[in-house]
Amino acid sequence: MDDGAGGSSGRPDALQQGPRLRPPWGSRRPRNDASGAPSPRPGGATYAALDLGTNNCRLLVARPTYDSFRVIDAFSRIIRLGEGVAASGRLGAAAIERALDALAVCRDKMHNRGVTRARLIATEACRAAENGGEFLLRVKETVGIDLEIVNRETEACLAATGCTPLIDPEAEGVILFDIGGGSSEIVLLGRGRRGRRGPPEPQIRRWASLPVGVVTLAERYGGIE
């Protein structure tokens, strides 16, 4: 796994510009208290996670329970944002429109659910496309969502964080395969470290990210082999 480091490192269907009722959605992190735990908000916080991938746009909205989260809304749509990027090096006009439409649905869901904390990320298609930055600016201006392009290490870490609670507590380690539309992450995980509150933290021993996914493979070899 030479591609990665050795250890852990630790936004309506009709797109119309209107008056903005709140600041643009962005990658806002919760404030922490002295113990490192998220500071409480009166009435409780509502969290959102959005993943704009090469093939899919996914959103989860959740509220905290005693020791976990309860999903109160979700959205998933195949948009194939990365269609043609491997050949042209650019996000195509049709793919951009599909993404804007899906992101507008996500924006409305977050607004209707009163989301107070959000992490909104874009992955391989936006990393690889030479007009990825232009696309993010258009998303911010048109939809009101401020996306964050994450690097491959962060993508691997987020996948590991989501899967760590599923690890058999008797297992000494597991190998995680996260196969996406434009990249695939392989992570070697040890037993998760249980914190004072919330899910266990991942213990990443090794990781690698490959620029290969279902969209890139289909465009290179689909219908041929």
Side-chain angles (χ1 to χ4, degrees):
M1 296 186 182
D2 296 327
D3 223 0
S8 172
S9 66
R11 271 175 224 80
D13 289 319
L15 301 175
Q16 297 179 353
Q17 196 79 6
R20 185 164 287 159
L21 302 179
R22 62 175 70 195
W25 291 105
S27 50
R28 294 168 288 178
R29 309 318 198 267
R31 294 187 298 251
N32 291 345
D33 60 23
S35 69
S39 301
R41 270 182 174 246
T46 301
Y47 297 89
L50 188 153
D51 177 8
L52 182 66
T54 302
N55 196 47
N56 288 273
C57 175
R58 293 190 178 98
L59 170 75
L60 279 180
V61 181
R63 291 180 181 143
T65 59
Y66 176 71
D67 61 351
S68 184
F69 291 91
R70 179 172 62 90
V71 175
I72 61 171
D73 210 339
F75 175 79
S76 179
R77 180 182 294 178
I78 296 175
I79 58 170
R80 292 183 68 87
L81 179 61
E83 187 176 50
V85 171
S88 68
R90 296 180 60 85
L91 300 173
I96 288 175
E97 293 300 325
R98 292 194 297 266
L100 291 173
D101 182 67
L103 289 169
V105 175
C106 294
R107 175 201 59 198
D108 288 352
K109 284 181 174 288
M110 290 189 290
H111 177 80
N112 293 336
R113 292 293 185 175
V115 168
T116 55
R117 292 285 186 269
R119 183 79 185 270
L120 317 174
I121 69 168
T123 56
E124 183 64 22
C126 292
R127 284 196 298 258
E130 62 183 54
N131 60 338
E134 298 173 18
F135 167 68
L136 262 61
L137 180 60
R138 183 174 174 187
V139 169
K140 186 174 181 178
E141 293 176 344
T142 306
V143 187
I145 287 181
D146 191 3
L147 290 171
E148 164 197 5
I149 300 179
V150 296
N151 59 32
R152 290 177 177 175
E153 182 177 6
T154 300
E155 187 171 0
C157 184
L158 290 173
T161 300
C163 291
T164 295
L166 305 177
I167 296 177
D168 185 337
E170 300 299 319
E172 291 296 328
V174 300
I175 296 178
L176 164 66
F177 295 88
D178 180 11
I179 303 173
S183 68
S184 296
E185 283 67 48
I186 308 171
V187 186
L188 176 61
L189 288 165
R191 289 180 177 176
R193 296 183 289 264
R194 177 66 64 177
R196 291 179 61 242
R197 57 188 294 179
E201 297 179 359
Q203 184 182 352
I204 300 177
R205 295 174 176 170
R206 300 285 293 178
W207 68 273
S209 179
L210 310 175
V212 176
V214 295
V215 173
T216 51
L217 284 175
E219 290 187 349
R220 291 174 186 169
Y221 306 109
I224 301 173
E225 296 183 26

